[in-house]
């Protein structure tokens, strides 16, 4: 049996997008790994990394050039309330995502109970490919997976749009 190719990188995915890149986040805590230093600083004193910091050096320019090509980049987060410290951190740093051109919305988990959702976080590119972001039980990132079969694409497209329609814009979401 031939081995599946690895999931495309975020850079390859966003560079291939022509219309939209949609990201759904479902977890309340992620193991912070490369975020540890800025996360610890946030917990200590509420500070967030500057847009031109090393923390953002790969992501913000990628989003900016993607949006500059006319691609819509949307991120929706389903969160438990009261929120975790990690979600407070994400909320605090999301202004940088928005300045780069991402549109971000938040949906309290208590409002999501009627939605059919996939079991994992994902990126959906142009309703043609899904990149599944997989995590261990303690939040460590695992090797991602991907799918282009119509059933997976349809599930993710419908789930994202349902979440987006119910969610609150980042500028209006208070924690």
């Amino acid at each position: 049996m031939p081995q599946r190719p690895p999931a495309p990188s975020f850079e390859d995915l966003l560079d291939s997008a022509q219309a939209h890149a949609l990201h759904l986040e479902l977890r309340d805590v992620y193991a912070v790994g490369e975020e540890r230093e800025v996360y610890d600083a946030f917990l200590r004193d509420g500070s967030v990394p500057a847009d031109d910091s090393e923390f953002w050096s790969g992501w913000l320019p990628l989003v900016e050039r993607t949006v500059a090509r006319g691609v819509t980049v949307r991120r929706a987060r389903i969160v438990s309330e009261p929120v975790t410290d990690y979600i407070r951190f994400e909320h605090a740093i999301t202004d940088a995502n928005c300045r780069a051109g991402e549109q971000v919305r938040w949906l309290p988990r208590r409002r999501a109970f009627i939605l059919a959702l996939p079991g994992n976080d994902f990126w959906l590119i142009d309703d043609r490919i899904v990149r599944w972001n997989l995590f261990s039980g303690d939040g460590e990132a695992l090797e991602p997976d991907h799918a282009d079969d119509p059933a997976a694409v349809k599930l993710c497209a419908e789930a994202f749009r349902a979440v987006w329609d119910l969610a609150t814009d980042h500028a209006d979401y208070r924690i």
Side-chain angles (χ1 to χ4, degrees), residues 52-138:
D52 61 354
S53 69
E54 184 177 335
F55 176 79
W56 288 115
S57 65
W59 186 249
L60 296 183
L62 175 58
V63 171
E64 289 168 346
R65 79 172 185 246
T66 302
V67 171
R69 292 192 342 265
V71 175
T72 300
V73 179
R74 291 183 172 165
R75 179 186 306 255
R77 293 179 171 132
I78 298 177
V79 296
S80 300
E81 293 177 324
V83 300
T84 63
D85 284 343
Y86 187 83
I87 295 301
R88 285 189 320 103
F89 166 70
E90 277 194 330
H91 189 268
I93 67 172
T94 295
D95 286 339
N97 297 78
C98 295
R99 286 189 296 271
E102 279 189 63
Q103 300 170 35
V104 180
R105 291 188 181 177
W106 302 82
L107 180 63
R109 194 170 308 280
R110 63 180 154 59
R111 295 186 54 216
F113 67 92
I114 63 167
L115 302 179
L117 300 169
N120 295 293
D121 291 12
F122 66 83
W123 278 91
L124 175 62
I125 307 300
D126 295 336
D127 292 343
R128 66 176 168 78
I129 186 169
V130 178
R131 177 189 157 119
W132 304 107
N133 293 343
L134 305 175
F135 299 91
S136 66
D138 60 2

